[in-house]
Amino acid sequence: MAWYKQLHWRILTGLGLGLIYGIVAATMGWGEFTNDWVAPWGTIFVNLLKLIAVPLVLASLSTGVASLSDLTQLSRMGGKTIVLYIVTTLIAVLIGIVLVNLTQPGKNVPAELRDRLQSSYQSDVAERTSQAQKTQSQGPLQPIVDIVPSNLVEAASDNRNMLQIVFVAILFGIGLIQVARTKAQPMIDLLHTLNDVTIRIVDIIMLMAPLGVFALIAKTITSVAGGESGSNLLELLGALGLYCLTVIAGLAIHAFLTYPLLLRAMSPMKFLTFLKGIGPVQLLAFSTSSSSATLPLNMERCEEKLGVSEEVCSFVLPLGATINMDGTALYQAVAAVFISQALGMELTWAQQGMIVFTSVLASIGTPAVPSAGSVMLIVILESIGVPPSGIALILGVDRFLDMMRTVVNVTGDAMVSVIIAAGEGQLKPPHLSEEEDRIRTHF
Ligand code: ASP
């Protein structure tokens, strides 16, 4: 079964079977069985992926920095990366704002459904509001303070602190450059080995991908479908269908128009080659709804299949997983306008401008984990004076949109890594062979 050796087919198989099982389980009321016996495999899979993210970033980024001959290259690369991340996010938000103004999805939400949703999602809203308040009560420089850890072990103990790890790795790499080469070499060799080992571990974890993805999808479907009865679900889809379509159309335009155009303008890579290389990354992002869980695979694929150098991958991708969320920003802008419309509030152009600005900022501050985008949405709503309880309207369909926007988030990171590598002369011809995704010979 040669096809099964290709990673994207293995993930797709898990996805398809998980979907079928999820629908059967939801109809048959197997929620408890699924929670007890199926869902844990998904948790194990995601935990494994998160487990290697920190050592991978530490090892690859510090060796990457240590191999640079001078630090101007690093700062040039850093500057270009951040500009590209902000520009692509801004384009995404503008696409979202234009679309939502054209489709006006909030205008046809029945008042009765609106009130019912607000009361049934009350506790969810309260939880997210208190999370959002923590962010809001901080001073303006807090995001910068957060990048600098006071304790290495603490920084490495929570994957949400990925920027702290990036900071430590760069600092460590710079330190390595300053030490005499003969002394630094054993440490560099050790880090190289650690990097190679973690990359191989990604392959081992991917052996579990079909089962992990099956479990994640099965759990998502049973818990979403279990929460709403069939007729409620249809009513919800009727009222929120246009909103979902607007988000999905925006994401599609960004992924299939903005990205190919940018790739074409700024790199020699064909969009199809790019898609072929990162297809499994997108499927994994869809299944896990988490850019940080997808990071190790994204790093492996960009390096091995797209030919992006280790230096560029190890710098651009962890940074992107944390701060570059085009899909999330687009969704936040559409959702903010949708909620205002549904609550009967007409937004002025100034308020829409504020949405654009805050969506870009909020997406930078959104942690790369499931549902985080909807928490940061509260900050955006408050900035334009819309009651945050309005997010109750969209929570019923949020999980699915989370899966979709995470795909765009990781695609944007990979695309920027290709462009940066092309600009730095660090893009090797991609070696997409027929045997792509073969499980390496050691297995
Ligand atoms: N799940 C998204 C991510 O990890 C963040 C979000 O939009 O909720 O990229």
Side-chain angles (χ1 to χ4, degrees):
M1 288 212 291
W3 66 269
Y4 193 72
K5 290 196 171 166
Q6 299 198 339
L7 185 53
H8 60 272
W9 286 121
R10 280 185 283 140
I11 300 182
L12 272 175
T13 309
L15 242 160
L17 292 178
L19 187 74
I20 297 171
Y21 171 88
I23 294 172
V24 174
T27 4
M28 308 291 279
W30 296 345
E32 207 180 312
F33 173 83
T34 309
N35 262 341
D36 288 349
W37 296 99
V38 180
W41 299 106
T43 312
I44 293 174
F45 179 57
V46 170
N47 283 355
L48 282 170
L49 288 169
K50 290 184 177 166
L51 172 70
I52 49 166
V54 171
L56 182 60
V57 172
L58 258 183
S60 61
L61 189 49
S62 38
T63 44
V65 173
S67 68
L68 297 174
S69 47
D70 65 303
L71 292 174
T72 45
Q73 192 188 346
L74 182 70
S75 45
R76 191 183 56 226
M77 203 162 86
K80 275 203 275 186
T81 306
I82 290 174
V83 168
L84 264 174
Y85 278 159
I86 293 179
V87 170
T88 49
T89 307
L90 190 63
I91 297 175
V93 174
L94 291 175
I95 293 175
I97 283 283
V98 170
L99 277 186
V100 75
N101 276 291
L102 288 176
T103 59
Q104 309 260 8
K107 294 266 156 88
N108 55 8
V109 179
E112 181 269 331
L113 176 71
R114 189 183 66 203
D115 299 339
R116 192 149 46 77
L117 284 175
Q118 282 192 321
S119 66
S120 60
Y121 283 99
Q122 225 166 23
S123 63
D124 273 341
V125 173
E127 194 189 310
R128 281 166 217 243
T129 312
S130 80
Q131 282 179 36
Q133 267 159 2
K134 275 185 213 141
T135 321
Q136 281 169 309
S137 58
Q138 296 163 344
L141 288 185
Q142 193 59 36
I144 300 178
V145 175
D146 285 343
I147 295 176
V148 186
S150 63
N151 184 304
L152 174 61
V153 182
E154 205 178 280
S157 70
D158 184 350
N159 283 34
R160 284 173 185 244
N161 297 337
M162 199 53 87
L163 277 189
Q164 298 191 344
I165 296 296
V166 168
F167 178 81
V168 172
I170 293 178
L171 202 60
F172 195 68
I174 295 175
L176 277 176
I177 300 180
Q178 313 289 322
V179 173
R181 196 67 187 182
T182 43
K183 274 198 175 168
Q185 201 55 48
M187 181 52 108
I188 295 176
D189 290 344
L190 183 78
L191 288 169
H192 266 302
T193 312
L194 180 62
N195 187 37
D196 291 350
V197 171
T198 33
I199 293 271
R200 292 290 80 86
I201 294 179
V202 177
D203 290 332
I204 302 177
I205 298 172
M206 282 303 139
L207 291 175
M208 194 196 160
L211 175 64
V213 167
F214 169 85
L216 287 169
I217 299 294
K219 184 186 167 210
T220 307
I221 296 197
T222 37
S223 56
V224 170
E228 300 284 339
S229 73
S231 61
N232 280 354
L233 205 63
L234 280 185
E235 191 188 5
L236 201 64
L237 279 183
L240 299 185
L242 192 54
Y243 155 70
C244 294
L245 282 181
T246 309
V247 175
I248 295 171
L251 294 174
I253 292 175
H254 195 55
F256 293 108
L257 201 70
T258 315
Y259 290 162
L261 285 177
L262 283 173
L263 265 187
R264 201 178 173 156
M266 301 174 84
S267 87
M269 190 173 291
K270 288 207 178 73
F271 187 59
L272 263 185
T273 314
F274 173 75
L275 275 188
K276 239 175 139 182
I278 60 149
V281 181
Q282 295 176 316
L283 290 171
L284 191 66
F286 182 79
S287 317
T288 58
S289 281
S290 163
S291 311
S292 71
T294 316
L295 176 63
L297 186 66
N298 208 357
M299 289 173 75
E300 191 209 36
R301 299 290 299 196
C302 284
E303 198 180 326
E304 298 196 345
K305 303 293 177 199
L306 299 183
V308 177
S309 73
E310 188 188 321
E311 280 101 306
V312 173
C313 273
S314 63
F315 177 73
V316 175
L317 294 175
L319 194 69
T322 344
I323 68 163
N324 182 47
M325 298 198 181
D326 296 358
T328 298
L330 188 149
Y331 141 85
Q332 284 168 332
V334 174
V337 176
F338 168 76
I339 292 169
S340 320
Q341 285 172 353
L343 296 181
M345 303 170 68
E346 278 297 330
L347 292 177
T348 61
W349 284 109
Q351 280 171 312
Q352 300 223 18
M354 189 68 185
I355 293 182
V356 173
F357 179 68
T358 44
S359 298
V360 173
L361 284 187
S363 72
I364 293 176
T366 303
V369 294
S371 306
S374 60
V375 174
M376 294 305 277
L377 181 58
I378 294 177
V379 180
I380 300 174
L381 290 180
E382 292 198 329
S383 75
I384 49 166
V386 173
S389 59
I391 67 157
L393 298 179
I394 56 157
L395 290 183
V397 291
D398 201 57
R399 179 64 200 207
F400 177 64
L401 294 181
D402 193 4
M403 295 158 96
M404 305 287 284
R405 64 190 188 241
T406 310
V407 173
V408 174
N409 290 347
V410 299
T411 309
D413 300 340
M415 187 217 49
V416 170
S417 82
V418 171
I419 291 181
I420 296 289
E424 295 288 318
Q426 299 206 39
L427 187 67
K428 289 169 257 153
H431 18 114
L432 281 169
S433 68
E434 274 304 296
E435 254 192 301
E436 176 196 3
D437 287 331
R438 76 199 131 76
I439 308 169
R440 285 190 176 67
T441 39
H442 0 294
F443 295 114

